Amino acid sequence: MKTHSLLMPLDMHVHLRDGEMLQNVAKLTSYTFSGAVVMPNLVPPVKTKEQLLAYKERIMLACGLEIKEDEFDEFFDDVGLSGGDFEPFMTLFYDNYSEDFLDEVREDIFGIKLYPAGITTNSEGGVSDFDVEAMRETLETMARMDIPLLVHGETDGFVMDREAEFMSIYELLASNFPDLKIVMEHITTKAAVEMLDKYPNLYATITVQHLLITLDDVAGGMLQPHLFCKPIAKRPEDREALLNVALNAHPKVMFGSDSAPHPQHAKESCGCAAGVFTAPIALQVLCELFDKHGKLDNLQSFVSDNAQSIYGICPEFKEVILEERPFTVPAKYGEVVPMYAGETIGWSIEDVL
Ligand code: NCD
Ligand code: ZN
Ligand code: ZN
Protein backbone atom coordinates (compact mmCIF):
# COMPACT_ATOMS: atom_id res chain seq x y z
CA MET A 1 0.00 0.00 0.00
CA LYS A 2 1.32 3.44 -0.89
CA THR A 3 2.46 5.54 2.08
CA HIS A 4 3.75 9.08 2.41
CA SER A 5 5.55 10.66 5.30
CA LEU A 6 5.31 14.31 6.30
CA LEU A 7 7.73 15.93 8.71
CA MET A 8 6.58 18.60 11.17
CA PRO A 9 3.34 19.60 9.45
CA LEU A 10 2.28 23.16 10.30
CA ASP A 11 -1.18 24.69 10.07
CA MET A 12 -0.51 28.38 9.58
CA HIS A 13 -4.12 29.53 10.20
CA VAL A 14 -6.54 27.77 12.53
CA HIS A 15 -9.46 28.62 14.80
CA LEU A 16 -9.29 26.65 18.04
CA ARG A 17 -12.07 28.65 19.76
CA ASP A 18 -12.49 28.49 23.53
CA GLY A 19 -14.44 26.69 26.26
CA GLU A 20 -16.17 23.47 25.27
CA MET A 21 -15.39 23.89 21.58
CA LEU A 22 -11.68 24.21 22.34
CA GLN A 23 -11.85 20.98 24.35
CA ASN A 24 -13.54 19.31 21.40
CA VAL A 25 -11.26 20.46 18.57
CA ALA A 26 -7.77 21.26 19.95
CA LYS A 27 -6.45 17.71 19.94
CA LEU A 28 -7.56 17.18 16.36
CA THR A 29 -4.97 19.78 15.38
CA SER A 30 -2.28 18.97 17.93
CA TYR A 31 -2.36 15.28 17.00
CA THR A 32 -1.08 15.71 13.45
CA PHE A 33 0.52 19.17 13.43
CA SER A 34 3.77 20.27 15.08
CA GLY A 35 2.43 23.78 15.39
CA ALA A 36 -0.45 25.99 14.35
CA VAL A 37 -1.08 29.72 14.10
CA VAL A 38 -4.03 30.34 16.39
CA MET A 39 -6.48 33.05 15.35
CA PRO A 40 -7.49 35.64 17.97
CA ASN A 41 -11.14 36.20 16.96
CA LEU A 42 -12.61 35.10 20.27
CA VAL A 43 -15.38 37.05 22.01
CA PRO A 44 -13.89 39.35 23.25
CA PRO A 45 -10.91 39.32 20.86
CA VAL A 46 -7.42 38.56 22.18
CA LYS A 47 -5.93 42.03 22.66
CA THR A 48 -3.87 42.00 25.85
CA LYS A 49 -0.85 40.07 27.06
CA GLU A 50 -2.89 38.61 29.91
CA GLN A 51 -5.63 37.37 27.57
CA LEU A 52 -3.06 35.90 25.20
CA LEU A 53 -1.09 34.01 27.85
CA ALA A 54 -4.23 32.72 29.54
CA TYR A 55 -5.62 31.56 26.17
CA LYS A 56 -2.33 29.84 25.34
CA GLU A 57 -2.48 27.97 28.63
CA ARG A 58 -6.08 26.85 27.97
CA ILE A 59 -4.97 25.59 24.56
CA MET A 60 -2.04 23.65 25.99
CA LEU A 61 -4.29 22.07 28.61
CA ALA A 62 -6.92 21.19 26.00
CA CYS A 63 -4.19 19.52 23.94
CA GLY A 64 -3.08 17.51 26.97
CA LEU A 65 0.16 19.47 27.12
CA GLU A 66 1.52 21.97 29.57
CA ILE A 67 3.33 25.25 29.16
CA LYS A 68 6.96 24.32 28.57
CA GLU A 69 8.80 25.06 31.80
CA ASP A 70 11.52 23.10 33.52
CA GLU A 71 9.34 22.47 36.56
CA PHE A 72 6.92 20.54 34.38
CA ASP A 73 9.48 18.00 33.21
CA GLU A 74 8.26 15.49 35.76
CA PHE A 75 4.68 16.08 34.69
CA PHE A 76 5.61 15.26 31.11
CA ASP A 77 7.32 12.05 32.22
CA ASP A 78 4.30 11.06 34.32
CA VAL A 79 1.78 11.43 31.52
CA GLY A 80 4.09 10.28 28.76
CA LEU A 81 3.86 13.52 26.80
CA SER A 82 6.54 15.84 25.64
CA GLY A 83 6.07 19.60 25.84
CA GLY A 84 7.28 19.83 22.28
CA ASP A 85 4.45 17.76 20.79
CA PHE A 86 2.57 20.80 19.60
CA GLU A 87 3.17 24.51 19.71
CA PRO A 88 0.34 27.02 19.44
CA PHE A 89 1.69 30.13 17.69
CA MET A 90 -0.29 32.90 19.33
CA THR A 91 -1.64 36.00 17.59
CA LEU A 92 -3.16 39.25 18.79
CA PHE A 93 -6.17 40.97 17.24
CA TYR A 94 -4.90 44.07 15.40
CA ASP A 95 -5.28 47.51 16.89
CA ASN A 96 -3.08 50.59 16.52
CA TYR A 97 -0.86 49.30 19.33
CA SER A 98 1.89 51.50 20.78
CA GLU A 99 5.58 50.71 20.60
CA ASP A 100 5.68 50.18 24.38
CA PHE A 101 2.90 47.64 24.22
CA LEU A 102 4.51 45.76 21.33
CA ASP A 103 7.78 45.70 23.19
CA GLU A 104 6.06 44.08 26.14
CA VAL A 105 4.33 41.35 24.12
CA ARG A 106 7.05 40.71 21.51
CA GLU A 107 8.29 37.48 23.08
CA ASP A 108 4.83 35.99 23.43
CA ILE A 109 3.39 36.63 19.99
CA PHE A 110 3.91 35.09 16.59
CA GLY A 111 2.03 37.70 14.63
CA ILE A 112 -0.83 40.20 14.67
CA LYS A 113 -4.03 39.46 12.81
CA LEU A 114 -5.82 42.28 11.06
CA TYR A 115 -9.54 42.02 10.33
CA PRO A 116 -11.50 44.61 8.39
CA ALA A 117 -14.38 45.56 10.73
CA GLY A 118 -17.38 43.25 10.52
CA ILE A 119 -16.21 41.31 7.47
CA THR A 120 -16.07 37.82 9.02
CA THR A 121 -16.83 35.90 12.22
CA ASN A 122 -16.19 37.99 15.39
CA SER A 123 -14.42 40.82 13.56
CA GLU A 124 -16.62 43.71 14.72
CA GLY A 125 -13.70 45.40 16.49
CA GLY A 126 -11.51 45.34 13.38
CA VAL A 127 -10.16 48.12 11.19
CA SER A 128 -12.80 50.26 9.49
CA ASP A 129 -10.51 52.71 7.73
CA PHE A 130 -7.21 51.75 6.11
CA ASP A 131 -5.54 55.04 6.90
CA VAL A 132 -1.82 54.44 6.46
CA GLU A 133 -0.85 57.40 8.65
CA ALA A 134 -3.03 56.19 11.53
CA MET A 135 -1.44 52.75 11.25
CA ARG A 136 2.11 53.91 10.62
CA GLU A 137 3.52 53.79 14.16
CA THR A 138 2.20 50.29 14.77
CA LEU A 139 3.16 48.85 11.39
CA GLU A 140 6.64 50.39 11.39
CA THR A 141 7.26 49.10 14.89
CA MET A 142 6.04 45.65 13.85
CA ALA A 143 8.42 45.72 10.89
CA ARG A 144 11.32 46.73 13.12
CA MET A 145 10.50 44.02 15.66
CA ASP A 146 9.93 41.48 12.88
CA ILE A 147 6.30 40.84 13.87
CA PRO A 148 4.36 39.59 10.83
CA LEU A 149 1.00 41.13 9.92
CA LEU A 150 -1.63 38.51 9.06
CA VAL A 151 -4.57 39.85 7.10
CA HIS A 152 -8.12 38.80 6.30
CA GLY A 153 -8.20 40.58 2.95
CA GLU A 154 -11.78 41.41 1.95
CA THR A 155 -13.64 44.67 1.36
CA ASP A 156 -17.36 45.04 2.02
CA GLY A 157 -18.11 45.06 -1.73
CA PHE A 158 -19.97 42.46 -3.80
CA VAL A 159 -19.16 39.10 -2.25
CA MET A 160 -17.40 37.59 -5.29
CA ASP A 161 -15.23 40.72 -5.71
CA ARG A 162 -14.29 41.38 -2.09
CA GLU A 163 -10.87 39.77 -2.20
CA ALA A 164 -9.91 41.20 -5.60
CA GLU A 165 -10.98 44.66 -4.38
CA PHE A 166 -8.75 44.29 -1.34
CA MET A 167 -5.64 43.97 -3.57
CA SER A 168 -5.20 47.74 -3.61
CA ILE A 169 -5.04 47.70 0.21
CA TYR A 170 -2.40 44.96 0.11
CA GLU A 171 -0.45 47.12 -2.36
CA LEU A 172 -0.80 50.14 -0.10
CA LEU A 173 0.47 48.20 2.92
CA ALA A 174 3.22 46.32 1.06
CA SER A 175 4.63 49.44 -0.57
CA ASN A 176 4.38 51.74 2.46
CA PHE A 177 5.91 49.15 4.79
CA PRO A 178 8.46 47.25 2.68
CA ASP A 179 10.10 45.70 5.75
CA LEU A 180 6.83 44.40 7.16
CA LYS A 181 6.08 40.73 6.50
CA ILE A 182 2.47 40.61 5.32
CA VAL A 183 0.57 37.34 5.00
CA MET A 184 -2.53 37.34 2.80
CA GLU A 185 -4.60 34.81 4.71
CA HIS A 186 -6.75 32.14 3.03
CA ILE A 187 -6.45 33.51 -0.51
CA THR A 188 -9.14 32.42 -2.96
CA THR A 189 -8.43 34.29 -6.20
CA LYS A 190 -6.09 34.47 -9.16
CA ALA A 191 -5.71 38.18 -8.34
CA ALA A 192 -4.18 37.34 -4.96
CA VAL A 193 -1.87 34.70 -6.46
CA GLU A 194 -0.59 37.33 -8.91
CA MET A 195 0.24 39.71 -6.03
CA LEU A 196 2.74 37.22 -4.61
CA ASP A 197 5.34 37.91 -7.27
CA LYS A 198 4.75 41.65 -7.22
CA TYR A 199 5.90 42.47 -3.69
CA PRO A 200 8.77 40.71 -1.91
CA ASN A 201 7.08 41.20 1.49
CA LEU A 202 3.76 39.53 0.59
CA TYR A 203 3.10 35.88 1.41
CA ALA A 204 -0.06 33.77 1.49
CA THR A 205 -1.84 30.88 3.15
CA ILE A 206 -4.23 28.60 1.27
CA THR A 207 -6.88 26.29 2.74
CA VAL A 208 -7.77 22.75 1.70
CA GLN A 209 -11.27 23.66 0.59
CA HIS A 210 -10.17 26.45 -1.73
CA LEU A 211 -7.92 23.99 -3.60
CA LEU A 212 -10.88 21.66 -4.11
CA ILE A 213 -14.14 23.54 -4.49
CA THR A 214 -15.65 26.48 -6.34
CA LEU A 215 -18.80 28.47 -5.69
CA ASP A 216 -20.66 25.78 -7.62
CA ASP A 217 -19.95 23.27 -4.86
CA VAL A 218 -21.29 25.70 -2.24
CA ALA A 219 -24.37 27.06 -3.95
CA GLY A 220 -24.66 25.58 -7.46
CA GLY A 221 -26.98 22.80 -6.37
CA MET A 222 -28.54 22.24 -2.96
CA LEU A 223 -26.96 24.81 -0.63
CA GLN A 224 -24.02 23.26 1.29
CA PRO A 225 -23.67 25.09 4.60
CA HIS A 226 -20.62 23.07 5.63
CA LEU A 227 -18.71 24.42 2.62
CA PHE A 228 -19.65 28.04 3.31
CA CYS A 229 -16.78 30.16 4.53
CA LYS A 230 -15.27 33.61 4.19
CA PRO A 231 -13.85 34.33 1.71
CA ILE A 232 -16.37 32.32 -0.28
CA ALA A 233 -15.01 29.81 -2.84
CA LYS A 234 -14.68 31.47 -6.24
CA ARG A 235 -14.43 30.54 -9.94
CA PRO A 236 -12.71 27.54 -11.59
CA GLU A 237 -9.89 29.78 -12.88
CA ASP A 238 -9.25 31.02 -9.34
CA ARG A 239 -9.05 27.46 -8.02
CA GLU A 240 -6.64 26.62 -10.86
CA ALA A 241 -4.36 29.51 -9.92
CA LEU A 242 -4.34 28.41 -6.26
CA LEU A 243 -3.68 24.78 -7.21
CA ASN A 244 -0.86 25.81 -9.48
CA VAL A 245 1.11 27.57 -6.72
CA ALA A 246 0.33 24.98 -4.03
CA LEU A 247 1.15 21.91 -6.16
CA ASN A 248 4.33 23.48 -7.47
CA ALA A 249 5.51 24.49 -4.01
CA HIS A 250 5.65 28.22 -4.64
CA PRO A 251 8.00 29.32 -1.84
CA LYS A 252 5.72 32.16 -0.64
CA VAL A 253 2.70 29.93 -0.16
CA MET A 254 1.91 28.03 3.04
CA PHE A 255 -0.84 25.70 4.14
CA GLY A 256 -3.31 27.33 6.54
CA SER A 257 -6.43 25.24 6.99
CA ASP A 258 -8.62 28.07 8.31
CA SER A 259 -10.38 25.17 10.02
CA ALA A 260 -13.24 27.12 11.62
CA PRO A 261 -15.59 24.98 13.70
CA HIS A 262 -19.14 26.10 14.42
CA PRO A 263 -21.77 23.93 16.14
CA GLN A 264 -24.10 22.12 13.74
CA HIS A 265 -27.07 24.29 14.73
CA ALA A 266 -25.17 27.46 13.76
CA LYS A 267 -24.36 26.04 10.30
CA GLU A 268 -27.64 24.32 9.50
CA SER A 269 -29.77 27.32 10.27
CA CYS A 270 -31.37 30.40 8.85
CA GLY A 271 -28.24 32.57 8.87
CA CYS A 272 -25.41 30.07 8.40
CA ALA A 273 -22.15 30.88 10.22
CA ALA A 274 -19.08 31.10 7.95
CA GLY A 275 -16.37 28.47 8.40
CA VAL A 276 -15.38 25.02 7.14
CA PHE A 277 -14.13 22.47 9.66
CA THR A 278 -11.20 20.52 8.19
CA ALA A 279 -8.74 19.94 11.06
CA PRO A 280 -9.23 16.14 11.25
CA ILE A 281 -9.06 15.51 7.50
CA ALA A 282 -6.74 18.19 6.12
CA LEU A 283 -3.53 16.19 5.72
CA GLN A 284 -5.29 13.12 4.31
CA VAL A 285 -7.16 15.22 1.74
CA LEU A 286 -3.98 17.11 0.78
CA CYS A 287 -2.15 13.80 0.26
CA GLU A 288 -4.91 12.57 -1.99
CA LEU A 289 -4.95 15.81 -3.97
CA PHE A 290 -1.17 16.11 -4.42
CA ASP A 291 -0.93 12.42 -5.31
CA LYS A 292 -3.68 12.74 -7.90
CA HIS A 293 -1.64 15.46 -9.59
CA GLY A 294 1.64 13.52 -9.31
CA LYS A 295 3.01 16.17 -6.93
CA LEU A 296 3.30 14.33 -3.60
CA ASP A 297 6.96 15.29 -3.37
CA ASN A 298 5.96 18.96 -3.14
CA LEU A 299 3.54 18.51 -0.25
CA GLN A 300 6.30 18.77 2.37
CA SER A 301 7.10 22.31 1.21
CA PHE A 302 3.45 23.33 1.24
CA VAL A 303 2.63 21.93 4.68
CA SER A 304 5.82 22.81 6.50
CA ASP A 305 9.08 23.82 4.83
CA ASN A 306 7.83 27.05 3.26
CA ALA A 307 6.34 28.22 6.55
CA GLN A 308 9.58 27.37 8.36
CA SER A 309 11.57 29.57 5.98
CA ILE A 310 9.05 32.41 5.79
CA TYR A 311 8.55 32.73 9.54
CA GLY A 312 12.01 31.48 10.54
CA ILE A 313 10.72 28.74 12.81
CA CYS A 314 12.17 25.39 13.70
CA PRO A 315 9.39 23.10 14.94
CA GLU A 316 9.91 20.17 17.25
CA PHE A 317 10.14 16.80 15.54
CA LYS A 318 6.98 15.05 14.45
CA GLU A 319 6.48 12.60 11.62
CA VAL A 320 3.04 11.86 10.22
CA ILE A 321 2.76 8.75 8.09
CA LEU A 322 -0.18 8.67 5.71
CA GLU A 323 -1.40 5.67 3.76
CA GLU A 324 -3.49 5.35 0.63
CA ARG A 325 -6.29 3.54 2.46
CA PRO A 326 -9.96 4.63 2.47
CA PHE A 327 -11.12 6.64 5.48
CA THR A 328 -14.78 7.30 6.12
CA VAL A 329 -15.04 10.75 7.66
CA PRO A 330 -17.16 10.73 10.85
CA ALA A 331 -20.54 12.45 10.60
CA LYS A 332 -19.60 14.70 13.52
CA TYR A 333 -16.82 15.55 15.91
CA GLY A 334 -18.78 16.46 19.01
CA GLU A 335 -21.21 19.09 17.78
CA VAL A 336 -19.23 19.94 14.65
CA VAL A 337 -19.83 18.57 11.16
CA PRO A 338 -16.55 18.29 9.22
CA MET A 339 -16.01 18.75 5.50
CA TYR A 340 -16.74 15.43 3.73
CA ALA A 341 -18.83 14.18 6.70
CA GLY A 342 -19.93 10.59 6.05
CA GLU A 343 -17.97 10.42 2.80
CA THR A 344 -14.96 8.22 2.11
CA ILE A 345 -11.64 9.85 1.27
CA GLY A 346 -8.68 8.00 -0.25
CA TRP A 347 -5.96 8.48 2.36
CA SER A 348 -5.72 7.79 6.11
CA ILE A 349 -3.37 8.70 8.94
CA GLU A 350 -1.33 5.57 9.53
CA ASP A 351 0.87 6.72 12.40
CA VAL A 352 2.24 9.78 14.16
CA LEU A 353 5.78 9.57 15.51
C1 NCD B 1 -13.66 32.17 10.39
C2 NCD B 1 -14.30 31.88 11.75
O1 NCD B 1 -15.33 31.20 11.79
O2 NCD B 1 -13.74 32.29 12.75
N1 NCD B 1 -14.62 31.91 9.37
C3 NCD B 1 -14.40 31.71 8.05
O3 NCD B 1 -15.36 31.58 7.30
N2 NCD B 1 -13.18 31.64 7.54
C4 NCD B 1 -13.14 33.57 10.36
C5 NCD B 1 -12.14 33.86 9.25
O4 NCD B 1 -11.11 33.22 9.14
O5 NCD B 1 -12.39 34.77 8.45
ZN1 ZN C 1 -10.48 35.21 7.73
ZN1 ZN D 1 -9.76 32.07 9.67
Side-chain angles (χ1 to χ4, degrees), residues 69 120 123-124 240 276 312:
E69 303 260 13
T120 189
S123 62
E124 290 69 25
E240 279 316 301
V276 178

Side-chain angles (χ1 to χ4, degrees), residues 13 15 17 41 115 120-121 152 186 229-230 258 260 262 274-275:
H13 180 136
H15 299 270
R17 312 298 193 207
N41 61 332
Y115 293 90
T120 189
T121 309
H152 179 115
H186 49 43
C229 66
K230 301 283 181 77
D258 191 22
H262 292 277

Side-chain angles (χ1 to χ4, degrees), residues 154 159-160 163 188-189 213-215 231-236 238:
E154 287 194 287
V159 70
M160 286 295 278
E163 184 173 291
T188 61
T189 56
I213 66 171
T214 68
L215 182 63
I232 198 149
K234 305 288 190 315
R235 297 175 173 81
D238 294 306

Side-chain angles (χ1 to χ4, degrees), residues 84-345:
D85 271 352
F86 173 74
E87 187 171 0
F89 301 120
M90 304 305 292
T91 62
L92 279 178
F93 193 97
Y94 183 88
D95 205 337
N96 289 333
Y97 294 119
S98 70
E99 181 171 357
D100 284 352
F101 174 79
L102 292 174
D103 213 24
E104 220 177 284
V105 293
R106 177 63 196 108
E107 290 311 306
D108 302 305
I109 63 172
F110 189 75
I112 297 185
K113 177 68 189 288
L114 186 155
Y115 293 90
I119 212 64
T120 189
T121 309
N122 303 335
S123 62
E124 290 69 25
V127 171
S128 41
D129 181 17
F130 285 87
D131 174 354
V132 169
E133 290 322 310
M135 302 170 86
R136 186 169 292 281
E137 183 191 338
T138 305
L139 295 181
E140 280 180 350
T141 309
M142 285 172 63
R144 196 169 59 251
M145 293 181 179
D146 200 19
I147 302 173
L149 178 73
L150 285 48
V151 183
H152 179 115
E154 287 194 287
T155 67
D156 60 359
F158 179 65
V159 70
M160 286 295 278
D161 298 332
R162 286 177 187 178
E163 184 173 291
E165 283 175 8
F166 199 86
M167 291 306 127
S168 58
I169 299 176
Y170 279 130
E171 298 209 60
L172 188 75
L173 295 173
S175 57
N176 272 279
F177 306 98
D179 297 327
L180 178 66
K181 208 170 269 176
I182 302 170
V183 184
M184 303 187 283
E185 294 294 333
H186 49 43
I187 60 170
T188 61
T189 56
K190 191 164 177 265
V193 168
E194 285 164 359
M195 290 297 287
L196 282 171
D197 297 321
K198 250 177 116 176
Y199 292 90
N201 54 333
L202 280 185
Y203 303 86
T205 59
I206 302 182
T207 72
V208 178
Q209 68 267 23
H210 293 117
L211 293 174
L212 288 160
I213 66 171
T214 68
L215 182 63
D216 252 7
D217 298 288
V218 185
M222 303 267 270
L223 192 65
Q224 300 299 315
H226 300 292
L227 297 181
F228 171 65
C229 66
K230 301 283 181 77
I232 198 149
K234 305 288 190 315
R235 297 175 173 81
E237 55 269 35
D238 294 306
R239 181 180 56 183
E240 279 316 301
L242 299 169
L243 260 178
N244 182 42
V245 282
L247 291 173
N248 293 307
H250 189 298
K252 296 176 91 180
V253 160
M254 307 166 270
F255 172 60
S257 70
D258 191 22
S259 180
H262 292 277
Q264 185 173 19
H265 64 82
K267 296 289 291 174
E268 299 175 11
S269 78
C270 174
C272 167
V276 178
F277 182 56
T278 54
I281 59 152
L283 291 180
Q284 300 91 309
V285 170
L286 285 172
C287 252
E288 186 168 6
L289 178 69
F290 275 61
D291 186 38
K292 187 180 112 189
H293 289 272
K295 296 283 187 181
L296 255 187
D297 288 349
N298 284 344
L299 185 55
Q300 179 64 36
S301 301
F302 182 58
V303 300
S304 186
D305 298 357
N306 289 352
Q308 290 187 46
S309 327
I310 292 167
Y311 278 98
I313 46 176
C314 188
E316 303 263 346
F317 183 81
K318 183 176 278 191
E319 180 176 10
V320 180
I321 299 164
L322 294 110
E323 190 172 68
E324 193 179 19
R325 171 168 51 85
F327 171 64
T328 301
V329 180
K332 284 210 228 178
Y333 288 84
E335 263 202 286
V336 187
V337 178
M339 186 179 180
Y340 292 142
E343 293 178 42
T344 300
I345 57 177

Side-chain angles (χ1 to χ4, degrees), residues 5-24:
S5 151
L6 292 171
L7 295 177
M8 285 86 83
L10 297 168
D11 184 346
M12 302 309 285
H13 180 136
V14 73
H15 299 270
L16 295 180
R17 312 298 193 207
D18 210 344
E20 233 176 275
M21 185 64 92
L22 172 66
Q23 301 304 322
N24 183 23

Side-chain angles (χ1 to χ4, degrees), residues 26-33 86 318 320 349-352:
K27 280 187 177 159
L28 298 171
T29 290
S30 67
Y31 175 50
T32 50
F33 291 93
F86 173 74
K318 183 176 278 191
V320 180
I349 303 283
E350 152 60 14
D351 207 355
V352 181

